[in-house]
């Protein structure tokens, strides 16, 4: 009907991106113009049209990385998601010998992660390399690969210049510098916990000569560096010691999935501050337990009992008792409430059919599992179809 169907403005240095699903076949016109309708040789535009695809784009906050020999350097990477909330794996590509991109993941629903790169102690110093930050994910069954842009960082260096040479927009300069005076390690590399659960990571410091004061630790970045509703009781490595345990806790509404968290350490003495980063700490948040049921004999005989075997797969951070109850049993069939002991992962439940129970097939029996110590930790499982004869 000749009416406007969609519009978008650019936002400062960022160009406008318009996603539009055409409601019907027809002729559509795309117009690009200056806000105040000005024109002339100084007002030219380039329009790029591509099929819409769910996925993400990435932005590196650094256009240059300096890694101390034998040390670790961290780079913050931001993601803009397009109809995709799953995990994104990050890595540095094109690294020279002696440097390693450590495993990093932007967790489900989160918008950032800190990518870490580690240098061997004997890596060649002062050699400039061009590397790229790359993110990969499986989006709707399609493998998607994106290279992080660095134009925002460059505009900050170049007085918000709008035009960035194309060969620089995805290139990160990397070099190895003098040996690290402070190093931080972690044990283990990954921890598993979840909602209403905790897990610990040990941070181990390797101090250079004279670094004998306390080492302050913080999550980096301090805002957004942890998954939503996950906390960490970050404490300093005390003077005269070399390690500290950090406890991570998931709240009731913590998200499930894999995430990466980085801690930064700083040591101050005689007006000199020495810093270091941990490798990425893998956080895997999973359900407290999952339940599976198997029924060797899928036929129940009236006036008899049949054994139902229930197997529990526990989250490593969960070791409590689990109460099992059965719902939607056929009329005339009963099962006792059963508790899986804290040191067991299997129990048997007797399904008893009354002599006058009605014959038929039932496939909707449900096992409800609840942690005895915390009713918020739950799970369910379906029982295979049962025939009552």
């Amino acid at each position: 009907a000749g009416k406007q169907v969609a519009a978008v403005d650019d936002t400062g240095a960022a160009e406008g991106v318009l996603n539009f699903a055409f409601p019907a076949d027809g002729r559509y016109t795309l117009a690009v113009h200056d806000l105040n309708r000005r024109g002339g040789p100084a007002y030219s535009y380039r329009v790029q049209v591509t099929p819409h695809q769910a996925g993400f784009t990435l932005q590196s906050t650094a256009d240059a990385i300096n890694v101390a020999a034998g040390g670790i350097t961290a780079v913050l990477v931001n993601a803009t998601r397009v109809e995709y909330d799953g995990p994104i794996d990050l890595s540095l590509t094109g690294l020279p010998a002696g440097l390693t991109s450590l495993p990093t993941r932007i967790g489900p629903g989160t918008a950032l992660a800190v990518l870490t790169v580690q240098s061997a102690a004997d890596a060649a110093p002062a050699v400039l390399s061009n590397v790229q930050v790359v993110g990969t994910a499986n989006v709707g069954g399609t493998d998607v690969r994106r290279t992080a842009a660095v134009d925002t960082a460059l505009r900050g260096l170049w007085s918000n210049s709008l035009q960035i040479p194309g060969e620089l927009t995805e290139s990160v300069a990397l070099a190895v510098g003098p040996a690290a005076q402070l190093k931080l390690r972690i044990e283990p590399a990954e921890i598993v916990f979840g909602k209403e659960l905790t897990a610990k990571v040990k941070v181990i410091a390797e101090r250079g000569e004279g670094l004998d004061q306390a080492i302050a630790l913080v999550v980096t970045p301090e805002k957004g560096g942890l998954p939503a509703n996950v906390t960490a009781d970050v404490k300093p490595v005390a003077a005269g010691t070399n390690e500290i345990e950090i406890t991570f806790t998931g709240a009731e509404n913590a998200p499930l999935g894999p995430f990466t968290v980085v801690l930064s350490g700083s040591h101050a003495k005689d007006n000199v501050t020495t810093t270091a980063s941990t490798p990425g700490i893998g956080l895997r948040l999973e359900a407290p337990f999952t339940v599976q049921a198997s029924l060797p004999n899928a036929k129940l005989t009236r006036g008899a009992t049949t054994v139902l075997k229930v197997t529990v797969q526990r989250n490593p951070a969960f070791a409590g008792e689990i109460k099992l109850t059965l719902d939607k049993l056929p009329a005339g069939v009963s099962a006792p409430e059963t508790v899986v002991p804290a040191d067991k992962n299997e129990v048997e439940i007797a399904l008893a059919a009354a002599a006058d129970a009605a014959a038929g097939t039932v496939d909707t029996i449900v096992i409800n599992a609840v942690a005895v110590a915390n009713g918020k930790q739950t799970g369910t499982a379906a029982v295979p179809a049962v025939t009552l004869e």
Side-chain angles (χ1 to χ4, degrees):
K3 297 178 180 179
Q4 179 177 293
V5 292
V8 67
D9 292 330
D10 61 11
T11 54
E15 304 295 349
V17 177
L18 177 64
N19 292 313
F20 182 71
F22 295 95
D25 292 345
R27 183 181 294 275
Y28 296 81
T29 301
L30 176 65
V32 184
H33 61 79
D34 176 72
L35 176 65
N36 298 313
R37 303 284 177 169
R38 296 171 295 183
Y43 296 85
S44 58
Y45 303 92
R46 179 173 65 88
V47 177
Q48 182 179 13
V49 181
T50 57
H52 174 73
Q53 182 184 24
F56 57 91
T57 58
L58 299 173
Q59 187 79 222
S60 169
T61 59
D63 67 303
I65 303 174
N66 293 298
V67 190
I72 294 173
T73 293
V75 179
L76 178 63
V77 181
N78 293 304
T80 300
R81 297 175 176 273
V82 181
E83 299 175 12
Y84 172 69
D85 271 343
I88 303 169
D89 290 315
L90 299 178
S91 62
L92 277 169
T93 62
L95 288 171
L99 285 103
T100 305
S101 180
L102 300 177
T104 305
R105 180 166 283 174
I106 300 178
T110 57
L112 60 84
V114 176
L115 173 64
T116 51
V117 55
Q118 185 170 34
S119 168
D122 59 353
V127 177
L128 190 65
S129 302
N130 285 326
V131 299
Q132 293 181 318
V133 177
V134 172
T136 59
N138 187 277
V139 182
T142 300
D143 290 331
V144 175
R145 177 186 174 93
R146 296 286 183 266
T147 301
V150 297
D151 51 327
T152 299
L154 292 175
R155 287 191 179 102
L157 293 172
W158 297 341
S159 300
N160 289 317
S161 173
L162 294 178
Q163 299 300 322
I164 304 296
E167 63 270 21
L168 299 180
T169 57
E170 297 178 344
S171 179
V172 178
L174 179 144
V176 176
Q181 297 302 303
L182 175 64
K183 302 177 187 178
L184 298 176
R185 296 185 289 111
I186 55 169
E187 292 179 1
E190 182 180 74
I191 55 175
V192 183
F193 61 113
K195 301 179 180 184
E196 303 277 323
L197 295 173
T198 65
K200 296 180 183 293
V201 166
K202 183 183 293 184
V203 179
I204 304 164
E206 297 181 15
R207 300 171 181 264
E209 185 177 353
L211 302 185
D212 52 7
Q213 300 299 304
I215 301 170
L217 296 176
V218 295
V219 174
T220 183
E222 292 188 61
K223 184 176 181 180
L226 284 169
N229 304 306
V230 173
T231 58
D233 68 333
V234 181
K235 296 169 287 191
V237 182
T241 67
N242 292 320
E243 59 185 54
I244 190 71
E245 272 196 334
I246 308 296
T247 301
F248 289 83
T249 303
E252 179 185 356
N253 52 351
L256 300 183
F259 301 86
T260 302
V261 170
V262 171
L263 302 179
S264 294
S266 61
H267 175 280
K269 182 179 180 181
D270 298 333
N271 295 321
V272 176
T273 299
T274 305
T275 61
S277 291
T278 67
I281 304 169
L283 308 184
R284 187 171 294 275
L285 279 77
E286 299 178 350
F289 47 80
T290 58
V291 183
Q292 290 183 324
S294 62
L295 194 63
N297 183 1
K299 293 183 179 180
L300 298 179
T301 302
R302 285 177 286 185
T305 61
T306 298
V307 173
L308 173 69
K309 181 179 290 187
V310 179
T311 303
V312 174
Q313 181 71 41
R314 296 176 181 269
N315 186 308
F318 177 82
E321 296 180 326
I322 303 169
K323 180 175 68 175
L324 305 177
T325 57
L326 272 63
D327 279 345
K328 300 186 178 180
L329 287 166
V333 176
S334 61
E337 181 179 284
T338 305
V339 172
V340 183
D343 59 344
K344 301 291 183 183
N345 293 322
E346 259 186 20
V347 293
E348 293 183 344
I349 301 176
L351 301 180
D356 57 351
T361 299
V362 176
D363 57 6
T364 57
I365 300 176
V366 174
I367 299 176
N368 293 314
V370 180
V372 173
N374 186 343
K376 298 175 183 177
Q377 297 171 324
T378 63
T380 61
V383 178
V386 175
T387 300
L388 184 60
E389 298 180 339

